[in-house]
Amino acid sequence: MKIFKHSALLIILFLFSSFQLVAQEKVEPIFVNGEAQVVPEFNNPDEWIRHDLWVETTFDTDGDGKLDRMHVAVTRPPQTENGLKLPVVYESSPYYAGVAPNVDGLFWDVHHELGEEAKPRTQVEVKRIGKRPIISNSQIKTWVPRGYIVVHSSSPGTGLSDGAPTVGGDNESLAPKAVIDWLNGRAKGYTERDGNEEVEAYWSTGKVGMTGTSYNGTIPLAAATTGVEGLEAIIPIAPNTSYYHYYRSNGLVRSPGGYLGEDIDVLYDFIHSGGEDLILNKNYIKDSKDSKKFIRKRDYNNAKIRDTEMKNGMDRITGDYNEFWAGRDYLNDMEPMKAALLMSHGFNDWNVMPEHSYRIYKAASDKGLPTQIYYHQFGHGGPPPISMMNRWFTHYLHGVDNGVENDAKAWIVREDDNMKEPTAYKDYPNPDAKDVTLHLNAGGNAIGKLSVEKNKKQGSEILVDNANISGNDLAQAKNSKNRLLYVTPELKEDIHISGLASISITLASSKPAANLSVWLVSLPWNTEGKPKITDNIITRGWADPQNHKSLTESEPLSPGKFYSLKFDLQPDDQVIKKGQQIGLMIFSSDSQFTLLPEPGTELTIDLDKTSLTLPIVGGEDALRKATE
């Protein structure tokens, strides 16, 4: 009798386990109104399967004679262990394993004359952090409960990934490609960095979406430019799409906002958390006190990438666009791209400026790729609303026909609106925006006029460079010899600017080199309380007059000789309220962004050959109506 009861109990347990297994296998993603919903069975973190591995790439960049392997971490619902296959949301980063401390002298000294060498900067090292198998917890709580697998990887030369950081080099595109290839069964994964036991992604459908912010947003674009099969959609948030545009502007050596003196080699030091193991020193000389038989991969990378490739290519003297920078400009690599693109950026991001997203969005649209762009009015970062991202991934990764490809192409968060409530437009720039040319009228050391009519014989006006005075102070000054300011009449109606403002300027310099900075401002300047980020500065731009002919070729200016150049300001979409005036401010050194030479350089502006072009919704009629 006891034997029978024991057998019956085993049968019951077996049937119950079988029922649980079948029930678990039947759990699938749920979609409502075209969006993946949180599935309770996927939403228990204690049950998530988390493991790491190394994916073999097609390159060797750290000098050990072996193909580099990328450290990859996986987080997936338990149901994927019982036959359920799901698409992947993938984020890669150079930051996961820690960054270098911001010590004195890490950034380049910007206090020197243009064209002169800066004093050497301090080089620092990263102390790697993190423990296996967790690389990062980003994206997981958002996407795993909605029926996705989340994958993270450390980019080359960071964390436990092999290789060297190149800050935009080819290996930073090929590394995520290898991970996507592994997710599709085309590359090999291993349980250990140096092991031979293989790991397969049997739980992956092969469809991958990538996202991330800043550098983490650059990598999805880098992967997409390889044309890798399986990367269906990307959502880059405030991505750096060209390291030239990040560290230079129209030939000018210009820092990203908030990081005065940063350059590409500084960022290299900042992220280089890998390469702690040893390799044979190819330059080893027996019996030499100055030579070691073995060196760290980190030292090999420093010598090869930072101290040779970057040192020889970055050119802080002329600021010219060259092969080094062209190789780190993803606009040049767009041809193979097939992934659907949803971009996100802030119009007041003065770190990774909004042009970075605009230029790629435009190129992808011209290629006929599915594209949408989401712009908000704040600073660095800021993803689209989760519903937008959800619809994008639901359609392109799960294959749900939710009509997202027919949604509006542009979504703009208006100045006083919640970021979750953007306004839909047919495209960006607003298709109803038309270029309006405004001309300068004398009086800029006080306040000159901007007008649609061109009044002849306005002559020339002079400003004197002084980097000790901030742009904010210059814009508020009633009179200043250090800037020229030209404004429209007070607006009687709101004016909607959408797109790229540009300036055509003819100038002469008293010295062979000079900074040129241009701000578009909204006046009167608001100083009450804590001004909103959309107050005061509309957009900005910088250029090197030495590059008046070409970005790839500069020449010393002949003092007193006039040169003409034209360049765009940063893209914007902003409504300037009635009661304000739109002002064009021209000055030389920008204390927040440029090199800072000694005061005294004079710039003479030919007013008759200088003009501002504004993209205004409604065109010239709208501007006249608002100002007459």
Side-chain angles (χ1 to χ4, degrees), residues 329-351:
D329 187 339
Y330 293 106
L331 190 64
N332 298 330
D333 299 330
M334 294 282 287
E335 181 61 30
M337 182 171 164
K338 295 176 289 189
L341 173 70
L342 169 58
M343 303 285 280
S344 176
H345 220 119
F347 282 124
N348 292 286
D349 185 348
W350 302 114
N351 177 3

Side-chain angles (χ1 to χ4, degrees), residues 345-580:
H345 220 119
F347 282 124
N348 292 286
D349 185 348
W350 302 114
N351 177 3
V352 183
M353 300 191 189
E355 66 177 335
H356 283 271
S357 289
Y358 173 70
R359 59 204 297 272
I360 298 298
Y361 167 76
K362 186 175 185 301
S365 296
D366 290 344
K367 278 175 60 65
L369 296 177
T371 54
Q372 288 183 19
I373 195 160
Y374 168 87
Y375 271 123
H376 57 82
Q377 302 292 339
F378 298 98
H380 189 50
I386 183 62
S387 61
M388 286 185 68
M389 299 177 71
N390 196 335
R391 282 172 57 78
W392 202 252
F393 281 159
T394 294
H395 178 68
Y396 291 106
L397 302 189
H398 278 292
V400 174
D401 186 10
N402 58 12
V404 71
E405 72 276 19
N406 299 318
D407 287 351
K409 286 177 64 67
W411 301 83
I412 310 296
V413 179
R414 293 265 51 96
E415 288 74 10
D416 298 317
D417 289 350
N418 188 296
M419 286 183 64
K420 296 179 181 179
E421 300 174 351
T423 299
Y425 291 100
K426 292 180 180 179
D427 205 350
Y428 178 80
N430 189 311
D432 295 328
K434 298 178 182 178
D435 285 344
V436 180
T437 299
L438 291 93
H439 303 280
L440 283 57
N441 294 271
N445 289 128
I447 298 180
K449 292 183 179 180
L450 273 180
S451 62
V452 176
E453 287 78 17
K454 184 174 183 177
N455 298 313
K456 297 181 179 180
K457 298 183 180 179
Q458 293 300 304
S460 60
E461 296 191 326
I462 297 173
L463 65 92
V464 181
D465 184 25
N466 190 341
N468 297 316
I469 306 174
S470 72
N472 289 7
D473 289 340
L474 290 175
Q476 296 175 70
K478 293 183 179 180
N479 292 275
S480 176
K481 66 178 183 179
N482 305 116
R483 58 93 178 120
L484 298 173
L485 179 61
Y486 306 91
V487 304
T488 65
E490 181 179 315
L491 301 180
K492 299 175 183 176
E493 297 184 8
D494 294 351
I495 285 292
H496 184 179
I497 295 172
S498 181
L500 294 174
S502 64
I503 185 169
S504 296
I505 187 167
T506 297
L507 57 78
S509 171
S510 63
K511 293 183 179 180
N515 292 317
L516 176 61
S517 302
V518 173
W519 286 13
L520 196 65
V521 297
S522 178
L523 300 174
W525 195 273
N526 183 11
T527 58
E528 295 182 6
K530 187 177 181 180
K532 294 186 298 184
I533 196 169
T534 51
D535 290 342
N536 304 326
I537 298 173
I538 301 172
T539 186
R540 308 191 242 207
W542 304 263
D544 185 351
Q546 289 191 342
N547 289 91
H548 58 93
K549 287 184 179 179
S550 168
L551 278 184
T552 61
E553 182 181 357
S554 59
E555 60 181 17
L557 305 174
S558 296
K561 181 179 178 180
F562 281 89
Y563 300 89
S564 296
L565 61 155
K566 180 179 180 180
F567 57 95
D568 294 330
L569 310 186
Q570 289 297 315
D572 193 37
D573 194 292
Q574 188 170 337
V575 175
I576 313 301
K577 297 294 186 180
K578 66 178 181 180
Q580 294 292 107

